[in-house]
Amino acid sequence: MSWRFFTLPLAGAALWLLSASPGLAACELFSEPQRFNTSTSEDVIVIGHQQSRRYHLVLPRADEAAVSAIQACILDAFLTRSRSGEYLQIGSFERRSEAETIRRILRRSGYRPRVVYNR
């Protein structure tokens, strides 16, 4: 499935934000699961690609085990594809330093994510 973003009205999204968990695996990267692809714009929650967040942390050629483990910790990480192939978008950030911080955490756990600047 390939998608850029979708929106949820705030009233219905609150339950999703509290309960959405892609797998039963426990998060081993953070003390509690995070969201790095979600923002609020007026009365809408935007999930996925966001114009104001140009730095993307991605994991190319992610296998099923890596996707499950990362999604247990980053609840809004999603699989998508580009001309280069399929990848897991771990997060989108306004500043490169934010993306680099999360990249270092993932590298310590054996993953090889990349920070990509999107114009």
Side-chain angles (χ1 to χ4, degrees), residues 63-75:
D63 62 28
E64 191 174 321
V67 170
S68 294
I70 291 172
Q71 285 181 328
C73 294
I74 303 170
L75 300 178

Side-chain angles (χ1 to χ4, degrees), residues 7-17 39-46:
T7 59
L8 296 170
L10 277 179
L15 180 60
W16 177 85
L17 285 172
S39 70
T40 303
S41 177
E42 296 180 22
D43 65 340
V44 174
I45 295 174
V46 181

Side-chain angles (χ1 to χ4, degrees), residues 3-69:
W3 52 277
R4 289 296 225 181
F5 70 93
F6 66 91
T7 59
L8 296 170
L10 277 179
L15 180 60
W16 177 85
L17 285 172
L18 294 173
S19 65
S21 179
L24 298 175
C27 177
E28 297 180 5
L29 300 171
F30 308 104
S31 60
E32 63 183 48
Q34 305 292 310
R35 293 184 193 280
F36 299 120
N37 291 300
T38 304
S39 70
T40 303
S41 177
E42 296 180 22
D43 65 340
V44 174
I45 295 174
V46 181
I47 303 169
H49 179 74
Q50 298 174 44
Q51 293 294 340
S52 65
R53 297 180 178 184
R54 297 196 177 267
Y55 293 96
H56 301 272
L57 185 61
V58 301
L59 184 62
R61 298 175 301 281
D63 62 28
E64 191 174 321
V67 170
S68 294

